[in-house]
CSV table of all heavy atoms in Angstrom, one decimal:
chain,number,residue,atom,x,y,z
R,54,ASP,N,-3.8,-12.0,-9.1
R,54,ASP,CA,-3.3,-13.4,-9.2
R,54,ASP,C,-2.1,-13.7,-8.2
R,54,ASP,O,-1.6,-14.8,-8.2
R,54,ASP,CB,-2.8,-13.7,-10.6
R,54,ASP,CG,-4.0,-13.5,-11.6
R,54,ASP,OD1,-5.1,-14.0,-11.3
R,54,ASP,OD2,-3.8,-12.9,-12.7
R,55,GLY,N,-1.7,-12.6,-7.5
R,55,GLY,CA,-0.7,-12.8,-6.4
R,55,GLY,C,0.7,-12.4,-6.8
R,55,GLY,O,1.6,-12.5,-6.0
R,56,ALA,N,0.9,-12.0,-8.0
R,56,ALA,CA,2.3,-11.5,-8.4
R,56,ALA,C,2.6,-10.2,-7.7
R,56,ALA,O,1.7,-9.3,-7.5
R,56,ALA,CB,2.4,-11.4,-9.9
R,57,THR,N,3.8,-10.0,-7.3
R,57,THR,CA,4.2,-8.8,-6.6
R,57,THR,C,5.2,-8.0,-7.3
R,57,THR,O,6.0,-8.5,-8.1
R,57,THR,CB,4.6,-9.1,-5.2
R,57,THR,OG1,5.8,-9.9,-5.2
R,57,THR,CG2,3.6,-9.8,-4.4
R,58,ALA,N,5.3,-6.7,-7.0
R,58,ALA,CA,6.3,-5.8,-7.5
R,58,ALA,C,6.6,-4.8,-6.4
R,58,ALA,O,5.7,-4.4,-5.7
R,58,ALA,CB,5.9,-5.1,-8.8
R,59,THR,N,7.8,-4.4,-6.3
R,59,THR,CA,8.3,-3.5,-5.2
R,59,THR,C,9.2,-2.5,-5.8
R,59,THR,O,10.1,-2.8,-6.6
R,59,THR,CB,9.0,-4.3,-4.1
R,59,THR,OG1,8.1,-5.4,-3.7
R,59,THR,CG2,9.2,-3.4,-2.9
R,60,ALA,N,9.1,-1.2,-5.3
R,60,ALA,CA,10.0,-0.2,-5.7
R,60,ALA,C,11.4,-0.5,-5.2
R,60,ALA,O,11.6,-1.0,-4.2
R,60,ALA,CB,9.5,1.2,-5.2
R,61,ASP,N,12.4,-0.1,-6.0
R,61,ASP,CA,13.8,-0.3,-5.7
R,61,ASP,C,14.1,0.3,-4.3
R,61,ASP,O,14.9,-0.2,-3.6
R,61,ASP,CB,14.7,0.2,-6.7
R,61,ASP,CG,14.7,-0.6,-8.0
R,61,ASP,OD1,14.2,-1.8,-8.0
R,61,ASP,OD2,15.1,-0.1,-9.1
R,62,SER,N,13.5,1.4,-4.0
R,62,SER,CA,13.9,2.2,-2.8
R,62,SER,C,13.5,1.4,-1.5
R,62,SER,O,14.0,1.7,-0.4
R,62,SER,CB,13.2,3.5,-2.8
R,62,SER,OG,11.8,3.4,-2.9
R,63,VAL,N,12.6,0.5,-1.6
R,63,VAL,CA,12.1,-0.3,-0.5
R,63,VAL,C,12.4,-1.8,-0.6
R,63,VAL,O,12.0,-2.5,0.4
R,63,VAL,CB,10.6,0.0,-0.2
R,63,VAL,CG1,10.3,1.5,-0.1
R,63,VAL,CG2,9.7,-0.6,-1.3
R,64,LYS,N,12.9,-2.2,-1.7
R,64,LYS,CA,13.2,-3.6,-1.9
R,64,LYS,C,14.1,-4.2,-0.8
R,64,LYS,O,15.1,-3.6,-0.4
R,64,LYS,CB,13.8,-3.8,-3.3
R,64,LYS,CG,13.7,-5.2,-3.8
R,64,LYS,CD,13.9,-5.3,-5.3
R,64,LYS,CE,12.8,-4.6,-6.0
R,64,LYS,NZ,12.9,-4.7,-7.5
R,65,GLY,N,13.7,-5.3,-0.3
R,65,GLY,CA,14.4,-5.9,0.8
R,65,GLY,C,14.0,-5.5,2.2
R,65,GLY,O,14.4,-6.1,3.2
R,66,ARG,N,13.2,-4.4,2.3
R,66,ARG,CA,12.7,-3.9,3.5
R,66,ARG,C,11.2,-4.0,3.7
R,66,ARG,O,10.7,-4.2,4.8
R,66,ARG,CB,13.2,-2.4,3.7
R,66,ARG,CG,14.7,-2.2,3.7
R,66,ARG,CD,15.0,-0.7,4.0
R,66,ARG,NE,14.5,0.2,3.1
R,66,ARG,CZ,13.6,1.2,3.4
R,66,ARG,NH1,13.2,1.3,4.7
R,66,ARG,NH2,13.2,2.0,2.5
R,67,PHE,N,10.5,-3.8,2.6
R,67,PHE,CA,9.1,-3.8,2.6
R,67,PHE,C,8.6,-5.1,1.9
R,67,PHE,O,9.2,-5.5,0.9
R,67,PHE,CB,8.5,-2.6,1.8
R,67,PHE,CG,8.6,-1.3,2.5
R,67,PHE,CD1,9.5,-1.1,3.6
R,67,PHE,CD2,7.9,-0.2,2.1
R,67,PHE,CE1,9.7,0.1,4.2
R,67,PHE,CE2,8.1,1.1,2.7
R,67,PHE,CZ,9.0,1.2,3.7
R,68,ARG,N,7.5,-5.6,2.3
R,68,ARG,CA,6.9,-6.8,1.7
R,68,ARG,C,5.4,-6.6,1.6
R,68,ARG,O,4.7,-6.3,2.6
R,68,ARG,CB,7.2,-8.0,2.5
R,68,ARG,CG,6.6,-9.3,1.9
R,68,ARG,CD,7.0,-10.5,2.8
R,68,ARG,NE,6.4,-11.8,2.3
R,68,ARG,CZ,5.2,-12.2,2.8
R,68,ARG,NH1,4.6,-11.5,3.7
R,68,ARG,NH2,4.7,-13.3,2.3
R,69,ILE,N,4.8,-6.9,0.4
R,69,ILE,CA,3.4,-6.8,0.2
R,69,ILE,C,2.8,-8.1,0.1
R,69,ILE,O,3.4,-9.1,-0.4
R,69,ILE,CB,3.0,-5.9,-1.0
R,69,ILE,CG1,1.6,-5.6,-1.1
R,69,ILE,CG2,3.5,-6.6,-2.3
R,69,ILE,CD1,1.2,-4.5,-2.1
R,70,SER,N,1.6,-8.3,0.7
R,70,SER,CA,0.9,-9.6,0.6
R,70,SER,C,-0.6,-9.4,0.7
R,70,SER,O,-1.0,-8.3,1.0
R,70,SER,CB,1.4,-10.5,1.8
R,70,SER,OG,1.0,-9.9,3.1
R,71,ARG,N,-1.3,-10.4,0.3
R,71,ARG,CA,-2.8,-10.3,0.3
R,71,ARG,C,-3.4,-11.5,1.0
R,71,ARG,O,-2.9,-12.6,0.8
R,71,ARG,CB,-3.4,-10.0,-1.1
R,71,ARG,CG,-3.2,-11.1,-2.1
R,71,ARG,CD,-3.6,-10.6,-3.5
R,71,ARG,NE,-5.0,-10.4,-3.6
R,71,ARG,CZ,-5.6,-9.6,-4.5
R,71,ARG,NH1,-4.8,-8.9,-5.3
R,71,ARG,NH2,-6.9,-9.5,-4.6
R,72,ASP,N,-4.4,-11.2,1.8
R,72,ASP,CA,-5.2,-12.3,2.4
R,72,ASP,C,-6.6,-12.3,1.8
R,72,ASP,O,-7.4,-11.5,2.0
R,72,ASP,CB,-5.3,-12.0,3.9
R,72,ASP,CG,-6.0,-13.1,4.7
R,72,ASP,OD1,-6.8,-13.8,4.1
R,72,ASP,OD2,-5.7,-13.2,5.9
R,73,ASN,N,-6.8,-13.3,0.9
R,73,ASN,CA,-8.0,-13.4,0.1
R,73,ASN,C,-9.3,-13.6,1.0
R,73,ASN,O,-10.4,-13.2,0.7
R,73,ASN,CB,-7.9,-14.4,-0.9
R,73,ASN,CG,-6.9,-14.1,-2.0
R,73,ASN,OD1,-6.6,-13.0,-2.3
R,73,ASN,ND2,-6.3,-15.1,-2.6
R,74,ALA,N,-9.1,-14.3,2.2
R,74,ALA,CA,-10.2,-14.5,3.0
R,74,ALA,C,-10.7,-13.3,3.8
R,74,ALA,O,-11.8,-13.2,4.2
R,74,ALA,CB,-9.8,-15.6,4.1
R,75,LYS,N,-9.8,-12.3,3.9
R,75,LYS,CA,-10.1,-11.1,4.6
R,75,LYS,C,-10.2,-9.8,3.7
R,75,LYS,O,-10.4,-8.7,4.2
R,75,LYS,CB,-9.0,-10.8,5.7
R,75,LYS,CG,-9.0,-11.9,6.8
R,75,LYS,CD,-7.9,-11.6,7.8
R,75,LYS,CE,-7.9,-12.6,8.9
R,75,LYS,NZ,-6.9,-12.3,10.0
R,76,ASN,N,-10.1,-10.0,2.4
R,76,ASN,CA,-10.1,-8.9,1.5
R,76,ASN,C,-9.1,-7.8,1.9
R,76,ASN,O,-9.4,-6.6,1.8
R,76,ASN,CB,-11.6,-8.3,1.4
R,76,ASN,CG,-12.6,-9.3,1.0
R,76,ASN,OD1,-12.3,-10.3,0.3
R,76,ASN,ND2,-13.8,-9.0,1.4
R,77,THR,N,-8.0,-8.2,2.3
R,77,THR,CA,-7.0,-7.3,2.9
R,77,THR,C,-5.6,-7.5,2.2
R,77,THR,O,-5.2,-8.6,2.0
R,77,THR,CB,-6.9,-7.5,4.4
R,77,THR,OG1,-8.1,-7.3,5.0
R,77,THR,CG2,-5.9,-6.5,5.0
R,78,VAL,N,-5.0,-6.3,1.9
R,78,VAL,CA,-3.6,-6.3,1.5
R,78,VAL,C,-2.8,-5.7,2.6
R,78,VAL,O,-3.2,-4.6,3.2
R,78,VAL,CB,-3.5,-5.5,0.2
R,78,VAL,CG1,-2.0,-5.3,-0.2
R,78,VAL,CG2,-4.2,-6.3,-1.0
R,79,TYR,N,-1.7,-6.3,2.9
R,79,TYR,CA,-0.8,-5.8,3.9
R,79,TYR,C,0.5,-5.3,3.3
R,79,TYR,O,1.0,-5.8,2.3
R,79,TYR,CB,-0.4,-6.9,4.9
R,79,TYR,CG,-1.6,-7.5,5.6
R,79,TYR,CD1,-2.1,-8.8,5.1
R,79,TYR,CD2,-2.2,-6.9,6.6
R,79,TYR,CE1,-3.2,-9.4,5.8
R,79,TYR,CE2,-3.3,-7.5,7.3
R,79,TYR,CZ,-3.8,-8.7,6.8
R,79,TYR,OH,-4.8,-9.3,7.5
R,80,LEU,N,1.1,-4.3,3.9
R,80,LEU,CA,2.4,-3.8,3.6
R,80,LEU,C,3.2,-3.9,4.9
R,80,LEU,O,3.0,-3.1,5.8
R,80,LEU,CB,2.4,-2.4,3.0
R,80,LEU,CG,3.8,-1.8,2.6
R,80,LEU,CD1,4.2,-2.6,1.3
R,80,LEU,CD2,3.7,-0.4,2.3
R,81,ASP,N,4.1,-4.8,4.9
R,81,ASP,CA,5.0,-5.0,6.1
R,81,ASP,C,6.3,-4.1,5.8
R,81,ASP,O,7.0,-4.4,4.8
R,81,ASP,CB,5.4,-6.4,6.3
R,81,ASP,CG,4.2,-7.2,6.9
R,81,ASP,OD1,3.7,-6.8,8.0
R,81,ASP,OD2,3.8,-8.2,6.2
R,82,MET,N,6.5,-3.2,6.7
R,82,MET,CA,7.7,-2.3,6.5
R,82,MET,C,8.7,-2.5,7.6
R,82,MET,O,8.3,-2.3,8.8
R,82,MET,CB,7.1,-0.8,6.5
R,82,MET,CG,6.0,-0.6,5.4
R,82,MET,SD,5.6,1.1,5.3
R,82,MET,CE,4.9,1.5,6.9
R,83,ASN,N,9.9,-2.8,7.3
R,83,ASN,CA,10.9,-3.1,8.2
R,83,ASN,C,12.1,-2.1,7.9
R,83,ASN,O,12.2,-1.6,6.8
R,83,ASN,CB,11.4,-4.5,8.2
R,83,ASN,CG,10.3,-5.5,8.5
R,83,ASN,OD1,9.6,-5.4,9.5
R,83,ASN,ND2,10.0,-6.4,7.6
R,84,SER,N,13.0,-2.0,8.9
R,84,SER,CA,14.2,-1.1,8.8
R,84,SER,C,13.8,0.2,8.2
R,84,SER,O,14.4,0.8,7.3
R,84,SER,CB,15.2,-1.8,7.8
R,84,SER,OG,15.6,-3.1,8.3
Side-chain angles (χ1 to χ4, degrees):
D54 300 317
T57 62
T59 308
D61 288 343
S62 59
V63 303
K64 199 162 290 184
R66 300 187 297 120
F67 290 13
R68 178 177 176 271
I69 190 169
S70 60
R71 62 191 290 157
D72 185 332
N73 293 333
K75 297 182 178 179
N76 300 337
T77 301
V78 169
Y79 301 103
L80 184 68
D81 290 299
M82 307 187 294
N83 300 304
S84 302

